[in-house]
């Protein structure tokens, strides 16, 4: 906007530079492929916008005034900057269209995602990849806001999340299992155990955790109506990795994904706190956007949608 809040047409700027170069209204109008009367109106409108005469029309050819001479290089810089901004914006758009964007829960970003990504890259040229690692609730938010193409998380048919309720397409990529684990005592038995008749100290998942949602939805049907009241929750977090650290410190037992604690169980850093029971099977799922995505994202979805035998071949 200019003096008097008048709008500025970028075409006038190009017209100005054409006339400054040729000094002739007819030739400049011809070069700009517009009629001379319209061209002259553009120049006059630009001068009104600036508030001063930019050309000395008494000279032949038309010459820039002192104001016009000052205006010309600054205008060239502005137009060059606009063109650079356009090119950079298009490049950013093209890069975003060619990239894949994932949101993955913390635990799967540490355990499953790197290995799975490697197996996919062996069959698909994926290009740039952007990944956000957060809680299940935050990952769902990113998908609902259309800020990512895919969400990788745990799931269970008995504990639908917001993406299930909104009927986002989903594929089961693998299986996992929640295992009650605790640090071992001096004799190797768990410091905190289930089924002893005493309320065990429990490291629980927060409301933002997808694994917490699954546990809360299934605990009555899997473990009995009195199960929740038999626990003594001493710590709450939505990161399974943090609950694992607290379990390793001996602060309580936690239901942790086998994908996270398999090595701990193998080396005795953690032990089964449920004597082989009290386990909850879960799925590792990949959700996608409802709308059509960039070609590379659609190619990835087609790949993971193939039958399991075909994917493994």
């Amino acid at each position: 906007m200019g003096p008097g809040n008048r709008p500025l047409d970028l075409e006038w700027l190009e017209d100005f530079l054409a006339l400054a170069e040729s000094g002739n209204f007819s030739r400049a109008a011809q070069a700009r492929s517009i009629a001379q009367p319209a061209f002259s109106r553009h120049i006059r409108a630009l001068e009104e916008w600036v508030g001063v005469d930019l050309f000395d029309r008494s000279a032949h050819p038309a010459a820039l005034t002192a104001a016009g001479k000052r205006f010309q290089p600054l205008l060239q810089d502005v137009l060059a900057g606009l063109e650079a901004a356009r090119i950079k914006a298009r490049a950013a758009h093209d890069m975003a269209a060619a990239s894949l964007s994932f949101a993955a829960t913390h635990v799967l970003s540490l355990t499953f995602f790197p290995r799975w990504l490697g197996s996919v890259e062996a069959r698909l040229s994926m290009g740039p990849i952007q990944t956000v690692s957060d809680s299940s609730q935050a990952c769902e938010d990113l998908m609902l806001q259309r800020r990512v193409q895919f969400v990788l998380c745990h799931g269970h048919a008995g504990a639908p999340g917001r993406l299930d309720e909104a009927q986002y397409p989903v594929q089961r990529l693998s299986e996992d299992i929640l295992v009650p684990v605790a640090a071992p005592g001096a004799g190797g038995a768990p410091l905190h155990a289930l089924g002893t008749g005493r309320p065990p100290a429990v490291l629980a998942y927060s409301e933002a955790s997808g694994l917490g949602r699954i546990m809360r939805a299934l605990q009555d049907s899997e473990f009995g109506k009195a199960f929740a009241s038999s626990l003594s929750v001493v710590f709450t977090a939505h990161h399974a990795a943090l609950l694992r650290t607290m379990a390793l410190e001996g602060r309580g037992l936690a239901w942790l994904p086998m994908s996270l604690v398999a090595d701990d169980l193998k080396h005795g850093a953690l032990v089964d706190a449920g004597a082989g029971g009290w386990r909850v099977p879960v799925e590792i799922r990949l959700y996608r956007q409802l709308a059509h995505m960039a070609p590379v994202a659609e190619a990835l979805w087609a790949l993971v949608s193939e039958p399991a035998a075909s994917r493994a071949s």
Side-chain angles (χ1 to χ4, degrees):
M1 309 297 281
N5 207 31
R6 290 171 56 88
L8 171 66
D9 190 330
L10 293 182
E11 291 291 329
W12 304 345
L13 306 182
E14 299 284 357
D15 293 342
F16 168 86
L17 293 178
L19 181 56
E21 180 179 352
S22 71
N24 183 281
F25 277 81
S26 295
R27 287 199 299 270
Q30 185 176 13
R32 295 286 294 146
S33 300
I34 60 176
Q36 182 177 334
F39 182 87
S40 298
R41 287 196 299 271
H42 291 179
I43 297 299
R44 178 55 66 188
L46 177 62
E47 291 176 321
E48 291 175 358
W49 184 86
V50 175
V52 296
D53 287 342
L54 300 173
F55 291 95
D56 179 0
R57 291 165 174 78
S58 65
H60 298 283
L64 289 168
T65 63
K69 291 177 181 178
R70 185 72 180 98
F71 187 64
Q72 183 181 23
L74 298 175
L75 175 56
Q76 289 170 329
D77 290 343
V78 168
L79 292 178
L82 285 173
E83 178 63 12
R86 185 188 69 85
I87 292 172
K88 291 179 181 179
R90 290 182 64 87
H93 173 270
D94 292 343
M95 179 172 289
S99 67
L100 292 169
S101 56
F102 293 87
T105 55
H106 282 288
V107 63
L108 290 177
S109 69
L110 295 172
T111 58
F112 179 82
F113 185 67
R115 294 194 303 272
W116 173 78
L117 193 61
S119 69
V120 172
E121 286 177 325
R123 302 185 61 191
L124 179 68
S125 178
M126 301 175 69
I129 297 170
Q130 303 172 19
T131 307
V132 176
S133 177
D134 214 319
S135 68
S136 179
Q137 186 176 86
C139 290
E140 289 176 339
D141 287 339
L142 290 171
M143 177 66 92
L144 293 168
Q145 296 164 8
R146 299 188 65 176
R147 294 171 59 189
V148 295
Q149 296 161 325
F150 300 101
V151 165
L152 180 69
C153 61
H154 285 98
H156 193 286
R162 287 182 292 165
L163 300 184
D164 299 302
E165 293 167 354
Q167 299 184 328
Y168 277 73
V170 60
Q171 285 290 332
R172 184 184 66 82
L173 300 183
S174 187
E175 297 176 349
D176 210 340
I177 189 167
L178 300 181
V179 184
V181 296
L191 291 174
H192 309 274
L194 295 162
T196 64
R198 299 187 304 275
V202 171
L203 311 170
Y205 293 100
S206 70
E207 293 291 330
S209 167
L211 295 177
R213 181 182 65 234
I214 292 171
M215 288 296 300
R216 288 187 294 274
L218 300 180
Q219 59 189 13
D220 288 352
S221 61
E222 294 289 325
F223 307 138
K225 296 288 186 181
F227 172 73
S229 61
S230 71
L231 307 177
S232 175
V233 176
V234 297
F235 184 81
T236 302
H238 57 260
H239 296 335
L242 178 54
L243 297 185
R244 170 183 172 270
T245 299
M246 298 297 285
L248 288 168
E249 293 292 326
R251 292 179 174 270
L253 70 86
W255 272 264
L256 297 175
M258 182 64 79
S259 58
L260 179 65
V261 298
D263 285 345
D264 295 323
L265 291 170
K266 179 180 179 180
H267 297 107
L270 292 172
V271 294
D272 192 325
W278 311 86
R279 297 186 173 195
V280 178
V282 292
E283 297 177 349
I284 297 176
R285 296 176 172 181
L286 186 70
Y287 292 86
R288 62 156 288 170
Q289 277 293 344
L290 290 166
H292 184 76
M293 301 182 294
V296 66
E298 292 291 350
L300 172 62
W301 186 252
L303 182 63
V304 301
S305 300
E306 294 176 359
S310 175
R311 292 201 303 266
S313 62

